[in-house]
Amino acid sequence: MRAATRFDLVQKDIPEAWYNIAADMPTPMPPPLNPATNEPMAPELMEAIFPKAIIAQEMSSERYIEIPEEVREVLSLWRPTPLMRSVRLERALDTPAHIYYKYEGVSPAGSHKPNSAVPQAWYNKQEGVKRLATETGAGQWGRSLALACRMFGLECIVYMVGSSYRQKPYRRMAMETWGATVHASPSQETEFGRRIRAEMPDTAGSLGIAISEAVEDTVTHPGTKYALGSVLNHVCLHQTVIGLEALQQMEMAGEYPDVVIGCAGGGSNFAGIAFPFLRQNLTGGKKTRLLAIEPESCPSLTKGEFRYDFGDMAMTTPLMKMYTMGHDFMPPALHAGGLRYHGMAPTVSHLKNLDLIEARSYGQHEVFEAATLFARTEGLIPAPESSHAIKAVIDEALEAKREGKKRVIVFNLSGHGLLDLTSFEAYRTGSLNL
Ligand SMILES: *Cc1c(COP(=O)(O)O)cnc(C)c1O
């Protein structure tokens, strides 16, 4: 009989609580610091940009945090997401490895990011906020927040990294369809944006610049708060629905992973798939390897320094202890726009520093080669970001083949690539820029 290739949960199986890794960290995380004093950041100071409930989650060390019912109801538009076994890819690689992927591309925004956008919009709404400002790289977070704001009747302002705004117009059109206002960053809307445009008229923009613009917009518009799509503890927390569901689905599949893989930009989808499995390592005697994959041209975890740094270019955020390329690092205009962040989630960084997770980096060409093999075997066209994970999956499966041993691999397919087809064409026609 053929192996089962799809493991589906039903709506009632959507997790009732998020898993907070802070409760199980072997040593406490270094706190965020106030850059003015170098003292731990006072929560009240963050209330200018975040609602109280989100700040509480950011600081929480409670192991499980209940997901509000209205949030679960919106998540149920696409959750639980399927877990699939890639039998056709296994066959093409002629490997004894079993390869599973958790598919987050089924959300209306096409990626995992609405898992955090929805609760963030909801908590803001509860506290009377009318308008949310944010930045977006490739446009995935902007789409996710635009969608979430629409679900709860909030206004949404998005500063979109200029290179993506020009290369990926469909992302902007999707945001505008949901009713958001989108500005190419650096923009004329903020003082910081106007300054960068004067100093660097040809800049492709960066997430660091766009974050600075969104924060400035927030503090200069009453009734406005800010929402961040990755990096922070509460975002990683919200993404754990991915791994919590995957744990149940692997049980349905009757296997347990030897290795769990996710791509890492700011670290949230990796955290989402990995942390619930890491809990089983820390408290349940399991020995799953957890592997974060990043691009060679923005290698914070593999080549960055572990130190306190700003989250944005204008140095307006608290200082966070993380692997960083430096807050003024200007990554190239990579096709995987979602992986162009200079830093890494403090949770993921702390765990890497403790050697509880591993990291690896790949170049764009080998990543698109892997993505094309995946598309030609499994059918699904993955996002360039997710394709970094696929390259690592293929390497792991080939290593299992060399060893002649079974290896159970689970990875997060964080989004589909249907709005990235120009990048696939660049690969096919030999004109990838790196
Ligand atoms: C944004 C994005 C990423 C990277 O962000 P993380 O916070 O590291 O998860 C990865 N994949 C897709 C499809 C994205 O949209």
Side-chain angles (χ1 to χ4, degrees):
M1 215 184 93
R2 276 181 304 144
T5 56
R6 178 168 176 137
F7 303 90
D8 280 311
L9 298 168
V10 296
Q11 281 187 9
K12 72 168 176 45
D13 299 321
I14 295 174
E16 285 172 11
W18 293 294
Y19 166 59
N20 184 7
I21 188 81
D24 292 314
M25 288 281 189
T27 61
M29 301 233 318
L33 301 182
N34 182 342
T37 61
N38 267 341
E39 295 293 321
M41 192 74 188
E44 306 82 70
L45 286 178
M46 291 190 242
E47 287 174 17
I49 60 170
F50 291 122
K52 292 193 178 72
I54 290 292
I55 298 168
Q57 289 183 354
E58 190 61 23
M59 308 272 180
S60 172
S61 52
E62 207 177 314
R63 182 165 290 112
Y64 290 101
I65 296 177
E66 191 184 327
I67 307 177
E69 198 44 50
E70 278 178 272
V71 170
R72 289 179 85 230
E73 190 190 308
V74 175
L75 295 181
S76 77
L77 290 174
W78 69 93
R79 305 208 73 83
T81 61
L83 180 90
M84 311 287 292
R85 180 160 164 205
S86 312
V87 174
R88 296 177 57 87
L89 176 64
E90 291 168 16
R91 229 180 273 150
L93 297 171
D94 188 26
T95 174
H98 290 188
I99 302 172
Y100 293 86
Y101 65 93
K102 180 73 168 155
Y103 185 42
E104 290 295 310
V106 292
S107 84
S111 76
H112 66 286
K113 289 195 174 73
N115 296 333
S116 183
V118 170
Q120 288 195 53
W122 188 82
Y123 287 116
N124 274 287
K125 171 91 175 178
Q126 296 317 104
E127 296 186 27
V129 173
K130 301 279 182 269
R131 182 175 177 273
L132 283 180
T134 198
E135 74 292 328
T136 193
Q140 299 274 39
W141 171 246
R143 281 164 83 198
S144 304
L145 196 68
L147 168 76
C149 283
R150 179 51 51 203
M151 293 292 150
F152 300 118
L154 299 172
E155 202 184 326
C156 183
I157 314 295
V158 181
Y159 291 86
M160 182 170 185
V161 174
S163 57
S164 296
Y165 185 95
R166 290 177 284 276
Q167 279 171 11
K168 307 201 160 174
Y170 293 118
R171 300 269 169 80
R172 168 179 60 77
M173 293 174 198
M175 292 185 251
E176 289 168 348
T177 300
W178 283 317
T181 303
V182 188
H183 303 298
S185 169
S187 76
Q188 301 283 9
E189 302 296 311
T190 66
E191 209 174 302
F192 185 72
R194 289 189 290 273
R195 204 179 88 209
I196 295 287
R197 285 169 76 107
E199 286 170 11
M200 299 188 266
D202 299 323
T203 181
S206 72
L207 265 183
I209 296 172
I211 294 174
S212 301
E213 286 207 275
V215 171
E216 183 182 328
D217 181 302
T218 303
V219 296
T220 53
H221 290 81
T224 301
K225 297 266 192 228
Y226 170 72
L228 192 65
S230 186
V231 181
L232 297 182
N233 302 349
H234 66 271
V235 184
C236 295
L237 172 80
H238 298 156
Q239 292 297 349
T240 58
V241 290
I242 302 172
L244 292 167
E245 287 177 8
L247 267 171
Q248 296 183 62
Q249 286 161 309
M250 285 307 290
E251 217 171 291
M252 291 167 73
E255 302 208 86
Y256 196 84
D258 298 303
V259 55
V260 170
I261 301 175
C263 66
S268 75
N269 90 87
F270 170 75
I273 186 105
F275 287 179
F277 288 99
L278 180 58
R279 171 162 166 73
Q280 304 304 316
N281 286 1
L282 294 171
T283 64
K286 297 287 192 195
K287 293 198 169 59
T288 301
R289 288 164 49 228
L290 304 156
L291 190 46
I293 311 298
E294 54 186 14
E296 261 168 12
S297 54
C298 194
S300 48
L301 268 179
T302 49
K303 297 256 176 65
E305 286 178 60
F306 186 53
R307 62 172 167 90
Y308 273 102
D309 195 10
F310 291 99
D312 72 327
M313 194 172 179
M315 305 185 284
T316 50
T317 68
L319 289 164
M320 292 178 289
K321 183 95 183 255
M322 60 182 175
Y323 283 93
T324 176
M325 306 297 294
H327 61 267
D328 53 359
F329 177 74
M330 197 55 95
L334 205 60
H335 286 272
L339 304 184
R340 290 179 77 235
Y341 186 61
H342 68 271
M344 184 55 62
T347 48
V348 173
S349 295
H350 187 60
L351 292 164
K352 171 72 172 55
N353 191 242
L354 294 174
D355 278 331
L356 293 172
I357 64 166
E358 299 167 39
R360 208 183 278 172
S361 71
Y362 291 111
Q364 275 199 130
H365 196 274
E366 55 190 340
V367 162
F368 276 98
E369 188 181 359
T372 302
L373 176 62
F374 189 83
R376 290 179 180 183
T377 50
E378 294 296 316
L380 198 159
I381 299 179
E385 290 84 357
S386 322
S387 303
H388 286 71
I390 295 175
K391 168 62 183 156
V393 166
I394 292 174
D395 280 4
E396 289 283 328
L398 293 177
E399 200 176 281
K401 178 178 171 178
R402 277 192 299 276
E403 288 179 358
K405 279 215 323 248
K406 179 174 158 190
R407 186 177 302 197
V408 179
I409 304 169
V410 173
F411 77 101
N412 192 37
L413 211 171
S414 52
H416 69 67
L418 293 178
L419 296 187
D420 302 285
L421 291 173
T422 49
S423 303
F424 279 86
E425 177 147 283
Y427 165 71
R428 272 199 325 279
T429 57
S431 57
L432 274 185
N433 55 353
L434 287 175

